[in-house]
Amino acid sequence: MDFRIPEELQALRASFAAFVDREVRPIDESMTEEYWSGTPDHGRLHDAAEQVRRRAAQEGFYACYLPEDVGGWGVSTLGTALLVEDAARCGVRLAMMAVAPPNPSGPSTLLLQLPEHLQDVYLRPVVRGEASMCFALTEPEAGSDAQAIRTRARRDGDSWVIDGHKHYITNGDKADFAVVFAVTDPEKRAAGGITAFVVPRDQFRAGKTQWTLADTHPSELFLDGARVPADHVIGEVGLGFFAAMSFLNAGRAYIGAQCLGLAEFALDAAVAHARSRTAFGRPLSRNQGVAFPLAESKVEIEAMRWLTYHLAWAVDEGENPMLDASIVKYYDTERAYAVADRCLQVFGGMGLLREGPVERVLRHLRMLRIVEGASEVQQLVISRAMGL
Amino acid sequence: MNIVVCVKQVPDSWAEKKLNPSDSTLDRDSVDAVMNELDEYAVEEALVLQEAHGGEVTILTMGPEKAGETIRKALSMGADKGVHVVDAGLHGSDAVATSAVLAKALGTLEWDLVIFGIESTDARMSVVPAMVAERLGSPQLSFATKVDVADSTVTIQRQTEYGFDTVEAKTPAVVSVVEKINEPRYPSFKGIMAAKKKPVTTLTLADLGLGADEVGLAGSWSAVDEFAARPPRQAGSVVKDEGDGGVKIAEYLAGQKFI
Ligand SMILES: Cc1cc2nc3c(=O)[nH]c(=O)nc-3n(C[C@H](O)[C@H](O)[C@H](O)COP(=O)(O)OP(=O)(O)OC[C@H]3O[C@@H](n4cnc5c(N)ncnc54)[C@H](O)[C@@H]3O)c2cc1C
């Protein structure tokens, strides 16, 4: 066993850190007013995120995990996870837009299963940061139980015609195209009856924005007779879930890495605050009631780190670590939230303020405990794997 | 056109630096080491010139084993090869001793231009480029905000208080560049992977024909006699506002001769 991070990945992290410091930090600092405002200008925030995304794509960090022939760098899952962690840890919020994962608006590896001529149309523009996508699975009547979706796709000559209603779709209002999951065989459903399609913008309509407590606000999506050519199928007809499996493990490593980075950021901030803030004539850190929860947080962060790196490593080894992926999604989101909550407490009133460092971290982590398979669903997967 | 860029590994400029109590040299082990930020501009300028004129870019550094990381970084930005002067006898070299080593090492290489950053962020002497040029008997074009090469003439612009000077020399020449000159590139992953396979030659003092008394603490013209930690900041005085706060502030400022 060799737990050292390979030299080339250390060098990649240093290069990314320089990019964040030189280019992302100044943009982020210019957004302070919006971050602290009760009524932020979402247009300005979106433009800033786009600016970061485009620059990061030009430099190559954004889609570094994709193969070189589609414009990526072929960076391993571990390497990408480290960049996701660093982006979350550095405290520059917009840095989280500089690496695509785990943002659903970025170029999904799913698109590698499209025929070559369609990769030019759909995948490569997203790799270049010139276009964005959304991932449309969830419906009002099908969330955790994803195989219960009702969106239907019917073959009509050389096309597929899709009808349905999606909701909670991140970037649904801005995306240039959607990856839409629809039922192609109601008898088979998850066992060969659900297909993933690429649907261009002009074939669907975004409904209302769904405002959340996090800084991500998804929207409804309507498909009314959406028509796509037959070659717009991702992978094979009926095997949409199978296609999605191909990126799920890596995707969970990236969510884990983001949780890890955010927890580290919150802890760094809380430790600094506990050492500098005085109450009752001594630094807060002199109280075990403050120091011990932070010590516990450190322990949990190290556990998160090695679970996450191990998952990424297993994916790179070509394994199919589905159980590890569920463990990471469950443990990292839950523990990172607990860490952030303890850290927020150390800040007292400032913890609750938008001006404080931890408030937005806590809100983001609260979201991660629900999206992409809620904690209970991960527990379900884990317990089933145990034969329960 | 062949270019040599001299780079230095320095402690991270944000880190708290310490001196070794035994010999008053910088404790390089206690802090993260990075490429001197100002040298990144020199590497970038060399790569830009190479893109226009062809030839090879060689990275030269003097420093402990670990300084090889800094060569690797420059190679990952796109430079072709590295030369690392590493020898226990170099420990404690000042600017004069360093310039002797670099000049000797440059004597083993073929070049049309040597490019430096304007100073290192740890020593901040800003004299090594001039000393090296003097030892080599080459023209020196310092503080460049722009570098152009045509045939065997190198022309720079040097920012001044009232505008800029245009300075010209025949190659081979030594140039130092300021940070305004360009935006250093970020190493790409491709560049990082390629750098692993690029050649780096190491040279010792013996290879350069330098004696132990010419370099290191012994060969340095300057020495640190004594050092002391910065005194902790004094607590400020707190004045309570009992309705006369404005007057007290004015009195304080007047006392300090601010008003
Ligand atoms: C901000 C945000 C962004 C999102 N982005 C996207 C996106 O881009 N694309 C997309 O397709 N979807 C997206 N989603 C949807 C998200 O994945 C779902 O919300 C999530 O899967 C849960 O589904 P649900 O909301 O329908 O909850 P439900 O499935 O109704 O679950 C409600 C609760 O019951 C629990 N539960 C359900 N089944 C069980 C069980 N068997 N045992 C125990 N507990 C159970 C759940 O864990 C949960 O706590 C997003 C959601 C949000 C909030």
Side-chain angles (χ1 to χ4, degrees):
Chain A
M1 272 193 282
D2 184 348
F3 290 100
R4 279 170 304 191
I5 304 296
E7 238 169 61
E8 66 269 18
L9 298 186
Q10 297 285 24
L12 178 64
R13 294 176 91 166
S15 185
F16 181 63
F19 171 73
V20 169
D21 264 343
R22 261 188 244 157
E23 301 204 31
V24 187
R25 196 179 290 280
I27 303 175
D28 202 65
E29 281 169 0
S30 74
M31 287 294 122
T32 307
E33 204 181 305
E34 308 301 341
Y35 294 152
W36 294 359
S37 163
T39 50
D41 179 343
H42 291 279
R44 258 195 96 204
L45 287 170
H46 175 74
D47 291 347
E50 279 300 289
Q51 202 185 336
V52 168
R53 206 166 72 86
R54 214 156 295 151
R55 273 298 293 136
Q58 281 164 1
E59 288 299 334
F61 299 111
Y62 182 64
C64 64
Y65 52 96
L66 287 173
E68 285 184 23
D69 60 351
V70 295
W73 280 342
V75 173
S76 61
T77 309
L78 177 61
T80 308
L82 291 168
L83 295 195
V84 172
E85 176 190 344
D86 291 351
R89 180 176 189 166
C90 69
V92 177
R93 335 185 164 192
L94 281 172
M96 280 159 54
M97 290 307 294
V99 212
N103 304 309
S105 55
S108 168
T109 48
L110 260 181
L111 302 176
L112 294 170
Q113 298 178 45
L114 283 175
E116 178 61 31
H117 69 282
L118 290 182
Q119 293 191 11
D120 264 344
V121 182
Y122 295 107
L123 176 56
R124 287 187 176 86
V126 189
V127 171
R128 291 194 298 268
E130 292 160 7
S132 70
M133 58 167 278
C134 65
F135 181 88
L137 172 61
T138 305
E139 298 179 5
E141 301 302 328
S144 303
D145 185 11
Q147 61 84 42
I149 56 171
R150 294 175 180 182
T151 296
R152 267 295 256 138
R154 292 181 186 80
R155 189 69 191 245
D156 178 27
D158 278 345
S159 316
W160 288 93
V161 178
I162 310 171
D163 290 285
H165 175 199
K166 301 284 180 184
H167 80 169
Y168 302 165
I169 308 305
T170 304
N171 199 42
D173 54 341
K174 305 268 178 4
D176 296 282
F177 63 92
V179 170
V180 173
F181 287 78
V183 177
T184 40
D185 184 342
E187 303 286 290
K188 292 193 189 147
R189 294 210 150 262
I194 292 175
T195 305
F197 297 91
V198 171
V199 182
R201 177 88 237 174
D202 60 2
Q203 294 297 312
F204 66 85
R205 184 170 61 79
K208 64 173 194 295
T209 301
Q210 298 171 298
W211 297 95
T212 73
L213 67 59
D215 293 326
T216 312
H217 310 293
S219 53
E220 291 183 290
L221 227 78
F222 295 96
L223 299 119
D224 305 312
R227 188 174 280 273
V228 296
D231 59 3
H232 278 46
V233 168
I234 294 172
E236 284 178 48
V237 173
L239 298 182
F241 280 170
F242 184 78
M245 290 298 167
S246 69
F247 77 92
L248 210 58
N249 292 330
R252 300 228 149 118
Y254 301 146
I255 291 186
Q258 190 174 70
C259 291
L260 170 61
L262 288 172
E264 290 176 294
F265 167 72
L267 185 62
D268 290 346
V271 166
H273 185 72
R275 290 164 55 128
S276 62
R277 169 85 177 169
T278 307
F280 300 100
R282 58 183 185 177
L284 291 178
S285 59
R286 289 276 141 240
N287 302 290
Q288 285 188 354
V290 173
F292 283 14
L294 296 182
E296 186 167 357
S297 298
K298 175 67 180 161
V299 172
E300 287 175 351
I301 282 173
E302 291 310 310
M304 287 162 61
R305 179 190 319 286
W306 295 107
L307 281 173
T308 308
Y309 293 178
H310 174 262
L311 170 62
W313 170 86
V315 172
D316 289 332
E317 289 292 299
E319 293 172 21
N320 181 18
M322 275 172 53
L323 173 60
D324 304 71
S326 277
I327 291 174
V328 164
K329 171 69 175 62
Y330 172 67
Y331 189 80
D332 286 18
T333 54
E334 291 293 328
R335 290 301 93 204
Y337 182 82
V339 167
D341 191 41
R342 286 182 209 126
C343 292
L344 188 149
Q345 192 73 13
V346 171
F347 279 92
M350 207 221 285
L352 298 169
L353 296 194
R354 298 221 169 156
E355 292 173 37
V358 189
E359 180 262 3
R360 56 111 190 168
V361 171
L362 191 85
R363 289 188 291 108
H364 189 82
L365 289 169
R366 189 66 192 83
M367 171 184 82
L368 292 185
R369 289 169 61 199
I370 290 175
V371 300
E372 297 206 26
S375 290
E376 295 75 13
V377 173
Q378 306 307 333
Q379 286 178 303
L380 192 71
V381 174
I382 296 163
S383 59
R384 292 243 169 98
M386 295 163 67
L388 298 170
Chain B
M1 186 178 62
N2 293 323
I3 305 173
V4 178
V5 186
C6 295
V7 301
K8 182 181 182 187
Q9 188 177 56
V10 297
D12 193 341
S13 26
W14 300 105
E16 184 80 25
K17 286 160 221 158
K18 280 188 277 186
L19 296 180
N20 286 316
S22 58
D23 63 359
S24 304
T25 60
L26 185 66
D27 178 1
R28 294 185 187 274
D29 294 333
S30 68
V31 283
D32 282 348
V34 296
M35 182 195 290
N36 173 37
E37 206 184 305
L38 296 165
D39 294 344
E40 289 190 27
Y41 301 93
V43 175
E44 177 65 30
E45 198 57 24
L47 295 172
V48 170
L49 288 169
Q50 181 192 38
E51 279 157 16
H53 302 282
E56 271 196 325
V57 174
T58 305
I59 303 301
L60 170 62
T61 200
M62 172 190 124
E65 202 75 45
K66 197 172 155 53
E69 294 165 4
T70 283
I71 296 185
R72 248 349 125 192
K73 172 161 181 191
L75 297 180
S76 72
M77 290 170 77
D80 300 291
K81 55 191 174 58
V83 176
H84 186 178
V85 186
V86 52
D87 197 299
L90 291 167
H91 176 74
S93 297
D94 69 353
V96 172
T98 302
S99 69
V101 176
L102 293 179
K104 278 279 188 200
L106 286 164
T108 69
L109 302 167
E110 276 183 29
W111 45 270
D112 304 287
L113 278 188
V114 175
I115 307 184
F116 283 88
I118 39 160
E119 65 180 15
S120 61
T121 55
D122 57 349
R124 311 204 51 188
M125 304 273 286
S126 211
V127 292
V128 170
M131 289 176 170
V132 169
E134 181 64 20
R135 288 180 187 275
L136 294 167
S138 300
Q140 185 215 162
L141 303 154
S142 57
F143 298 92
T145 55
K146 191 169 186 293
V147 179
D148 287 305
V149 182
D151 301 321
S152 49
T153 303
V154 52
T155 311
I156 68 147
Q157 284 183 3
R158 178 187 298 148
Q159 195 86 36
T160 65
E161 274 168 35
Y162 31 86
F164 59 81
D165 297 334
T166 301
V167 191
E168 201 179 275
K170 288 280 169 218
T171 56
V174 173
V175 174
S176 73
V177 300
V178 300
E179 61 208 283
K180 273 192 219 100
I181 196 165
N182 57 40
E183 284 289 335
R185 65 198 65 191
Y186 310 105
S188 71
F189 193 60
K190 253 188 180 159
I192 290 166
M193 295 307 280
K196 291 174 106 178
K197 298 191 203 89
K198 291 179 179 172
V200 176
T201 321
T202 55
L203 295 173
T204 61
L205 287 176
D207 294 332
L208 295 176
L210 279 165
D213 54 338
E214 295 173 79
V215 298
L217 285 168
S220 290
W221 293 15
S222 58
V224 177
D225 285 338
E226 225 184 304
F227 67 88
R230 192 186 350 211
R233 219 192 283 172
Q234 301 293 319
S237 54
V238 178
V239 180
K240 219 176 188 168
D241 180 13
E242 284 154 344
D244 57 352
V247 176
K248 282 182 175 155
I249 289 173
E251 277 170 2
Y252 174 81
L253 292 174
Q256 301 287 320
K257 301 211 161 41
F258 285 121
I259 52 173

